[in-house]
Protein backbone atom coordinates (compact mmCIF):
# COMPACT_ATOMS: atom_id res chain seq x y z
CA UNK A 1 0.00 0.00 0.00
CA UNK A 2 1.40 3.37 -1.04
CA UNK A 3 0.51 7.05 -0.65
CA UNK A 4 1.29 10.01 -2.91
CA UNK A 5 2.04 13.44 -1.46
CA UNK A 6 1.92 16.64 -3.53
CA UNK A 7 3.41 19.87 -2.14
CA UNK A 8 2.68 22.87 -4.36
CA UNK A 9 5.47 25.26 -3.43
CA UNK A 10 6.12 28.77 -4.66
CA UNK A 11 9.02 27.79 -6.89
CA UNK A 12 8.28 24.12 -7.60
CA UNK A 13 5.91 21.25 -6.96
CA UNK A 14 7.43 18.43 -4.91
CA UNK A 15 5.86 14.98 -5.19
CA UNK A 16 6.74 11.97 -3.03
CA UNK A 17 5.64 8.35 -2.93
CA UNK A 18 5.79 6.52 0.40
CA UNK A 19 4.65 3.27 1.89
CA UNK A 20 2.45 2.85 4.97
CA UNK A 21 5.45 2.95 7.31
CA UNK A 22 6.45 6.38 6.00
CA UNK A 23 9.41 5.12 4.00
CA UNK A 24 9.90 7.29 0.89
CA UNK A 25 10.27 5.28 -2.31
CA UNK A 26 10.97 8.25 -4.53
CA UNK A 27 10.43 11.94 -5.14
CA UNK A 28 10.19 14.39 -8.03
CA UNK A 29 10.49 18.19 -8.16
CA UNK A 30 9.22 20.27 -11.08
CA UNK A 31 9.86 24.00 -11.26
CA UNK A 32 7.68 26.75 -12.73
CA UNK A 33 7.95 30.51 -13.18
CA UNK A 34 6.94 33.40 -10.94
CA UNK A 35 5.95 36.62 -12.68
CA UNK A 36 6.45 40.16 -11.35
CA UNK A 37 4.45 42.41 -13.71
CA UNK A 38 4.81 45.43 -11.41
CA UNK A 39 6.91 46.21 -8.31
CA UNK A 40 5.39 44.42 -5.33
CA UNK A 41 3.27 42.09 -7.46
CA UNK A 42 3.78 38.32 -7.56
CA UNK A 43 1.80 36.00 -9.84
CA UNK A 44 1.79 32.50 -11.29
CA UNK A 45 -0.15 30.68 -13.96
CA UNK A 46 -2.24 27.90 -12.37
CA UNK A 47 -1.91 25.85 -15.55
CA UNK A 48 1.85 25.81 -14.97
CA UNK A 49 1.18 24.19 -11.58
CA UNK A 50 -1.04 21.55 -13.14
CA UNK A 51 1.32 20.80 -16.02
CA UNK A 52 4.22 20.34 -13.60
CA UNK A 53 2.11 18.20 -11.25
CA UNK A 54 0.71 15.80 -13.82
CA UNK A 55 4.12 15.36 -15.43
CA UNK A 56 5.73 14.81 -12.05
CA UNK A 57 3.19 12.20 -10.94
CA UNK A 58 3.56 10.23 -14.14
CA UNK A 59 7.35 10.39 -13.95
CA UNK A 60 7.37 9.25 -10.32
CA UNK A 61 5.08 6.29 -10.95
CA UNK A 62 7.22 5.13 -13.87
CA UNK A 63 10.48 5.65 -11.97
CA UNK A 64 9.38 3.70 -8.87
CA UNK A 65 7.63 0.96 -10.81
CA UNK A 66 4.68 1.02 -8.42
CA UNK A 67 1.36 -0.13 -9.86
CA UNK A 68 -1.23 2.61 -9.76
CA UNK A 69 -3.80 0.41 -8.02
CA UNK A 70 -1.35 0.12 -5.12
CA UNK A 71 -1.53 3.91 -4.52
CA UNK A 72 -4.41 4.18 -2.08
CA UNK A 73 -4.62 7.94 -1.49
CA UNK A 74 -3.26 11.32 -2.52
CA UNK A 75 -2.58 14.15 -0.05
CA UNK A 76 -1.98 17.82 -0.83
CA UNK A 77 -0.08 20.65 0.81
CA UNK A 78 1.02 23.95 -0.61
CA UNK A 79 1.55 27.67 -0.59
CA UNK A 80 -1.21 29.46 1.31
CA UNK A 81 -3.25 32.65 0.80
CA UNK A 82 -3.09 32.81 -3.01
CA UNK A 83 -6.14 33.63 -5.12
CA UNK A 84 -7.29 31.48 -8.03
CA UNK A 85 -10.56 32.52 -9.70
CA UNK A 86 -12.61 30.39 -12.11
CA UNK A 87 -15.60 31.21 -14.29
CA UNK A 88 -18.78 29.16 -14.70
CA UNK A 89 -17.06 26.67 -17.03
CA UNK A 90 -13.92 26.46 -14.84
CA UNK A 91 -11.63 28.62 -16.95
CA UNK A 92 -8.91 30.40 -14.96
CA UNK A 93 -9.79 34.08 -15.29
CA UNK A 94 -6.44 35.66 -14.44
CA UNK A 95 -3.00 34.78 -13.08
CA UNK A 96 -3.03 33.63 -9.46
CA UNK A 97 -2.09 36.38 -7.00
CA UNK A 98 0.41 34.83 -4.59
CA UNK A 99 0.93 34.98 -0.83
CA UNK A 100 3.91 37.33 -1.17
CA UNK A 101 2.10 39.86 -3.39
CA UNK A 102 1.91 43.31 -1.77
CA UNK A 103 -0.62 45.19 -3.91
CA UNK A 104 -3.54 45.11 -1.46
CA UNK A 105 -2.65 47.53 1.34
CA UNK A 106 -5.61 49.82 0.51
CA UNK A 107 -7.95 46.83 0.65
CA UNK A 108 -6.50 45.77 4.00
CA UNK A 109 -7.05 49.27 5.37
CA UNK A 110 -10.63 49.19 4.07
CA UNK A 111 -11.33 45.84 5.74
CA UNK A 112 -9.91 47.05 9.06
CA UNK A 113 -11.83 50.32 8.93
CA UNK A 114 -15.08 48.62 7.88
CA UNK A 115 -15.09 45.88 10.50
CA UNK A 116 -12.69 47.09 13.17
CA UNK A 117 -9.87 45.05 14.69
CA UNK A 118 -12.12 43.56 17.37
CA UNK A 119 -14.63 42.12 14.90
CA UNK A 120 -11.85 40.90 12.61
CA UNK A 121 -10.32 38.96 15.47
CA UNK A 122 -13.72 37.64 16.53
CA UNK A 123 -14.72 36.51 13.03
CA UNK A 124 -11.39 35.21 11.71
CA UNK A 125 -8.76 35.10 14.47
CA UNK A 126 -6.56 37.32 12.28
CA UNK A 127 -5.91 40.90 11.27
CA UNK A 128 -5.97 42.14 7.68
CA UNK A 129 -2.60 41.54 6.01
CA UNK A 130 -1.64 41.98 2.36
CA UNK A 131 -0.81 38.30 1.98
CA UNK A 132 -4.32 37.07 2.77
CA UNK A 133 -6.92 36.07 0.19
CA UNK A 134 -9.83 38.38 1.10
CA UNK A 135 -8.04 41.65 0.23
CA UNK A 136 -7.00 40.10 -3.07
CA UNK A 137 -10.65 39.47 -3.91
CA UNK A 138 -11.47 43.11 -3.14
CA UNK A 139 -8.53 44.24 -5.29
CA UNK A 140 -9.92 42.27 -8.24
CA UNK A 141 -13.37 43.77 -7.64
CA UNK A 142 -11.95 47.31 -7.74
CA UNK A 143 -9.25 47.00 -10.40
CA UNK A 144 -10.49 44.15 -12.62
CA UNK A 145 -14.28 44.52 -12.54
CA UNK A 146 -14.66 42.76 -15.90
CA UNK A 147 -13.04 39.68 -14.34
CA UNK A 148 -14.82 39.98 -11.00
CA UNK A 149 -18.25 39.78 -12.60
CA UNK A 150 -17.31 36.44 -14.21
CA UNK A 151 -16.14 34.74 -11.00
CA UNK A 152 -18.03 31.61 -9.95
CA UNK A 153 -15.40 29.85 -7.83
CA UNK A 154 -12.53 30.90 -5.58
CA UNK A 155 -9.76 28.40 -4.86
CA UNK A 156 -6.47 28.38 -2.99
CA UNK A 157 -3.40 27.25 -4.98
CA UNK A 158 -3.15 23.61 -3.86
CA UNK A 159 -6.91 23.29 -4.22
CA UNK A 160 -6.68 24.10 -7.91
CA UNK A 161 -4.61 20.91 -8.20
CA UNK A 162 -7.31 19.11 -6.19
CA UNK A 163 -9.92 20.43 -8.62
CA UNK A 164 -7.92 19.20 -11.61
CA UNK A 165 -7.55 15.77 -9.99
CA UNK A 166 -11.12 15.34 -8.75
CA UNK A 167 -13.40 17.95 -10.30
CA UNK A 168 -14.32 19.05 -6.75
CA UNK A 169 -14.20 22.57 -5.31
CA UNK A 170 -12.75 21.86 -1.87
CA UNK A 171 -10.18 22.96 0.68
CA UNK A 172 -9.12 22.10 4.21
CA UNK A 173 -9.48 24.04 7.45
CA UNK A 174 -5.79 24.92 7.76
CA UNK A 175 -5.59 26.56 4.34
CA UNK A 176 -8.99 28.19 4.76
CA UNK A 177 -7.79 29.79 8.01
CA UNK A 178 -5.37 31.95 6.03
CA UNK A 179 -7.96 33.56 3.78
CA UNK A 180 -9.43 36.12 6.25
CA UNK A 181 -12.80 34.65 5.28
CA UNK A 182 -12.85 31.67 7.66
CA UNK A 183 -14.38 31.37 11.11
CA UNK A 184 -11.49 29.52 12.76
CA UNK A 185 -13.30 28.90 16.04
CA UNK A 186 -16.32 27.27 14.39
CA UNK A 187 -14.40 25.75 11.46
CA UNK A 188 -16.61 27.15 8.72
CA UNK A 189 -16.64 30.02 6.26
CA UNK A 190 -17.48 33.25 8.05
CA UNK A 191 -20.87 34.45 6.85
CA UNK A 192 -20.21 37.71 8.70
CA UNK A 193 -17.00 38.35 6.73
CA UNK A 194 -18.45 37.30 3.40
CA UNK A 195 -21.51 39.49 3.93
CA UNK A 196 -19.45 42.48 5.09
CA UNK A 197 -17.21 42.26 2.02
CA UNK A 198 -20.09 41.36 -0.34
CA UNK A 199 -18.43 38.13 -1.46
CA UNK A 200 -20.97 35.46 -2.50
CA UNK A 201 -20.97 32.45 -0.17
CA UNK A 202 -21.37 30.04 -3.08
CA UNK A 203 -18.01 31.10 -4.52
CA UNK A 204 -16.25 29.36 -1.62
CA UNK A 205 -15.16 25.72 -1.80
CA UNK A 206 -16.46 23.09 0.58
CA UNK A 207 -14.19 22.88 3.62
CA UNK A 208 -12.94 19.60 5.14
CA UNK A 209 -10.69 18.49 7.94
CA UNK A 210 -7.21 17.66 6.70
CA UNK A 211 -7.81 13.91 6.88
CA UNK A 212 -11.22 14.06 5.21
CA UNK A 213 -11.89 12.54 1.80
CA UNK A 214 -12.52 15.45 -0.57
CA UNK A 215 -12.94 13.57 -3.82
CA UNK A 216 -11.66 10.89 -6.15
CA UNK A 217 -9.34 10.98 -9.16
CA UNK A 218 -11.40 11.36 -12.33
CA UNK A 219 -10.89 9.36 -15.49
CA UNK A 220 -9.49 12.43 -17.25
CA UNK A 221 -6.98 13.07 -14.47
CA UNK A 222 -6.10 9.38 -14.35
CA UNK A 223 -5.31 9.40 -18.07
CA UNK A 224 -3.08 12.45 -17.63
CA UNK A 225 -1.21 11.42 -14.49
CA UNK A 226 -1.08 7.63 -14.48
CA UNK A 227 -3.03 7.45 -11.21
CA UNK A 228 -5.91 5.01 -11.00
CA UNK A 229 -9.38 6.41 -11.53
CA UNK A 230 -11.20 6.56 -8.19
CA UNK A 231 -8.08 7.03 -6.05
CA UNK A 232 -8.93 8.93 -2.83
CA UNK A 233 -7.80 12.55 -2.50
CA UNK A 234 -7.76 13.87 1.09
CA UNK A 235 -7.90 17.41 2.46
CA UNK A 236 -4.23 17.95 3.25
CA UNK A 237 -3.00 21.27 4.63
CA UNK A 238 -1.50 24.65 4.01
CA UNK A 239 2.26 24.91 4.40
Amino acid sequence: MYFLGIDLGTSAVKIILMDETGTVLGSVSKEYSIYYPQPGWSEQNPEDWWNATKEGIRELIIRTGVKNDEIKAVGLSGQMHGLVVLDEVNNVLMPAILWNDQRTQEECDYITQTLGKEKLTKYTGNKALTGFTAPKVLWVKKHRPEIYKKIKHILLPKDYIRFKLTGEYATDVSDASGTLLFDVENRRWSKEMLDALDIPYDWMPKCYESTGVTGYVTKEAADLTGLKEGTIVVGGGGD
Side-chain angles (χ1 to χ4, degrees):
M1 183 184 298
Y2 302 101
F3 303 95
L4 190 81
I6 301 169
D7 177 38
L8 189 79
T10 308
S11 59
V13 62
K14 283 78 72 178
I15 306 168
I16 65 169
L17 188 67
M18 66 176 66
D19 66 18
E20 54 194 311
T21 71
T23 301
V24 176
L25 279 72
S27 64
V28 167
S29 180
K30 296 285 186 181
E31 295 183 352
Y32 32 71
S33 298
I34 306 175
Y35 302 99
Y36 306 100
Q38 293 191 36
W41 291 25
S42 182
E43 300 179 345
Q44 284 179 323
N45 181 354
E47 288 305 311
D48 290 346
W49 301 334
W50 174 234
N51 288 334
T53 300
K54 65 185 181 184
E55 290 168 9
I57 295 172
R58 182 172 288 279
E59 180 180 320
L60 186 57
I61 291 173
I62 292 172
R63 183 191 300 175
T64 58
V66 168
K67 296 179 180 179
N68 66 3
D69 61 358
E70 296 179 304
I71 300 173
K72 299 304 180 184
V74 177
L76 296 160
S77 65
Q79 51 170 299
M80 297 178 72
H81 315 304
L83 176 65
V84 180
V85 289
L86 307 182
D87 66 13
E88 62 183 1
V89 293
N90 301 316
N91 292 316
V92 175
L93 289 168
M94 61 182 289
I97 305 176
L98 303 190
W99 61 274
N100 55 349
D101 188 284
Q102 298 296 309
R103 74 184 74 177
T104 62
Q105 187 59 57
E106 287 186 8
E107 287 71 28
C108 289
D109 294 342
Y110 169 79
I111 291 170
T112 302
Q113 292 163 8
T114 299
L115 286 111
K117 292 181 180 179
E118 186 175 337
K119 283 186 177 180
L120 268 178
T121 301
K122 178 182 177 182
Y123 294 156
T124 72
N126 285 300
K127 60 182 180 179
L129 300 174
T130 52
F132 288 157
T133 313
K136 294 178 171 68
V137 178
L138 296 188
W139 185 91
V140 175
K141 184 176 184 179
K142 180 178 180 180
H143 296 278
R144 301 287 188 271
E146 73 286 358
I147 289 174
Y148 188 85
K149 69 182 181 182
K150 296 178 182 178
I151 296 174
K152 293 298 179 184
H153 301 283
I154 288 173
L155 292 174
L156 291 156
K158 81 175 192 317
D159 300 318
Y160 181 70
I161 300 303
R162 183 194 318 282
F163 169 73
K164 297 296 284 187
L165 286 171
T166 68
E168 300 290 342
Y169 312 105
T171 191
D172 75 284
V173 293
S174 68
D175 223 356
S177 72
T179 61
L180 205 66
L181 296 171
F182 192 69
D183 179 344
V184 175
E185 182 177 358
N186 294 300
R187 305 176 90 78
R188 61 172 176 80
W189 295 113
S190 171
K191 187 176 186 303
E192 295 83 359
M193 285 297 298
L194 291 165
D195 287 348
L197 303 181
D198 196 28
I199 297 173
Y201 197 95
D202 61 5
W203 287 5
M204 309 309 297
K206 188 173 181 180
C207 197
Y208 294 81
E209 295 296 327
S210 293
T211 55
V213 176
T214 62
Y216 304 87
V217 172
T218 64
K219 183 182 186 306
E220 180 181 2
D223 290 343
L224 292 170
T225 63
L227 291 167
K228 182 178 173 58
E229 181 182 359
T231 302
I232 289 170
V233 179
V234 301
D239 63 2

